Amino acid sequence: MPDHPNTPTPNTRARRRVRHRGRAADPVELASRLTERDRSLLRLLDEHRVLTSGQIADLLPFPTLNRAQRRLLQLWHWHVPDRFRHPAANGALTGWRYALGVAGHGVLAAMRGATPPRPHTVREQVLRLATDPRLAHLLGINDVLAALTRHARGSEDAELRLWHGERSAATDCGGLARPDALIVYREHGATLVACYEHDTGTEPLTRVADKLDGYAELARAGGPHPAREVQQRHGFWVLFGLRSPTREAHLRERLSAADRTGAALADGDVPWHIATTSDLATPAGPVWLPLHTRQRRRLADLART
């Protein structure tokens, strides 16, 4: 006899078990279940705020995306991360986006000897993140991080030594500039220090170009804090990633008019340089076009400039 239309089938019951979770596990017991890779995930979510399962698979790393998704599901059941998704333009749902959950905050606070936020505070943070109009901007920044990490892992000569998210990057720059990320990248013996600006087309280009004032102040102050000994010799770069070649061309016109990286440098300023791209799928590749040049260069080539 066929099932009644309202009677859950075994597959339906399985899907419901996946979607719903119980109360968080005992914190002490939970801490004993977490691997070192899980703890690295806590630190990543704390630094970068929101990551997709694909980004997490690249950053930790997992051998496959499926393995990453299965572990994330288990951790979600334990309230380690929280997650959300949105309707896409075609009506389907996006993939899951992960943020630190209640238990994740608890374990991370214990690792640091700090007091965790209250559960309702964590839930409010996740809700604000899920409704943040800058969410696409955050995910775009983290796409570049994941792509550069994937490249470095597959190369014997490349190393992403540091990638600080926007909050840590602002501190690195002493509040004089507020880049979306601060990067220290090494390849073939050359080290690049770069402030990264990710543009999604929501700001007027004039406002984007106005950010050069802050970087000029940063150059006068000695550059970003990490790897200052490198900057004394080679300076630092400001990298702009844009959404289209047309917008990149228009921004370059404004950056050239406002450029303060060459003759405008004062005595004692740390040298700094500007490059742009509209191709962020392979950020280590020959996609970066320095200002006042016509040849695109690899990230490693910028490090040797």
Side-chain angles (χ1 to χ4, degrees):
M1 180 177 179
D3 290 334
H4 188 276
N6 294 324
T7 300
T9 65
N11 286 339
T12 303
R13 286 193 292 268
R15 286 195 297 271
R16 288 179 180 175
R17 284 196 297 273
V18 167
R19 284 196 293 263
H20 299 284
R21 54 182 177 168
R23 299 177 62 182
D26 174 79
V28 176
E29 180 186 357
L30 174 61
S32 68
R33 295 179 181 178
L34 298 184
T35 66
E36 186 54 42
R37 185 169 59 190
D38 296 334
R39 295 171 192 271
S40 295
L41 173 63
L42 301 184
R43 290 186 283 266
L44 283 171
L45 290 175
D46 181 56
E47 177 68 25
H48 303 294
R49 300 182 60 196
V50 58
L51 295 166
T52 66
S53 56
Q55 291 166 351
I56 291 168
D58 284 334
L59 292 172
L60 285 178
F62 282 87
T64 65
L65 176 59
N66 182 261
R67 287 279 296 276
Q69 291 170 332
R70 282 190 289 166
R71 185 57 178 172
L72 287 167
L73 178 60
Q74 181 62 73
L75 293 172
W76 176 76
H77 277 293
W78 295 339
H79 297 254
V80 175
D82 213 329
R83 66 182 189 178
F84 56 87
R85 55 184 176 176
H86 299 100
N90 61 3
L93 289 172
T94 64
W96 291 109
R97 287 84 184 266
Y98 289 88
L100 266 181
V102 172
H105 271 287
V107 173
L108 189 62
M111 291 164 56
R112 295 173 172 174
T115 301
R118 296 179 180 274
H120 76 273
T121 301
V122 175
R123 294 294 296 164
E124 288 174 358
Q125 290 173 351
V126 176
L127 178 59
R128 284 198 298 271
L129 186 58
T131 56
D132 191 337
R134 297 180 69 249
L135 180 61
H137 181 259
L138 284 170
L139 291 171
I141 296 166
N142 294 338
D143 271 339
V144 179
L145 164 62
L148 198 53
T149 301
R150 186 169 58 247
H151 166 79
R153 185 175 298 115
S155 170
E156 294 182 357
D157 299 314
E159 179 188 7
L160 182 58
R161 305 188 71 175
L162 177 92
W163 180 295
H164 278 172
E166 56 183 349
R167 291 173 295 182
S168 298
T171 301
D172 295 333
C173 295
L176 299 173
R178 303 187 66 85
D180 292 317
L182 184 78
I183 306 167
V184 179
Y185 177 79
R186 184 174 179 81
E187 187 170 350
H188 302 304
T191 300
L192 173 83
V193 180
C195 296
Y196 176 62
E197 295 280 355
H198 188 79
D199 178 78
T200 56
T202 58
E203 284 186 318
L205 288 176
T206 302
R207 186 179 301 173
V208 178
D210 285 345
K211 297 178 181 182
L212 296 190
D213 292 337
Y215 289 113
E217 291 291 331
L218 182 61
R220 284 192 283 272
H225 294 309
R228 279 200 168 177
E229 70 283 357
V230 175
Q231 297 169 67
Q232 295 302 324
R233 298 192 301 272
H234 305 290
F236 66 94
W237 284 81
V238 180
L239 306 177
F240 289 89
L242 297 108
R243 64 174 185 169
S244 71
T246 300
R247 187 166 171 87
E248 181 187 5
H250 290 163
L251 177 62
R252 290 180 64 83
E253 293 176 2
R254 287 165 173 78
L255 293 176
S256 296
D259 183 18
R260 299 167 66 180
T261 63
L265 285 174
D267 289 341
D269 286 6
V270 170
W272 61 293
H273 321 276
I274 299 170
T276 64
T277 186
S278 55
D279 179 5
L280 290 168
T282 55
V287 300
W288 297 101
L289 185 61
L291 218 54
H292 311 302
T293 66
R294 296 184 177 181
Q295 171 131 21
R296 295 194 182 267
R297 302 180 187 175
R298 295 173 53 83
L299 212 54
D301 297 330
L302 300 184
R304 287 189 286 270
T305 299

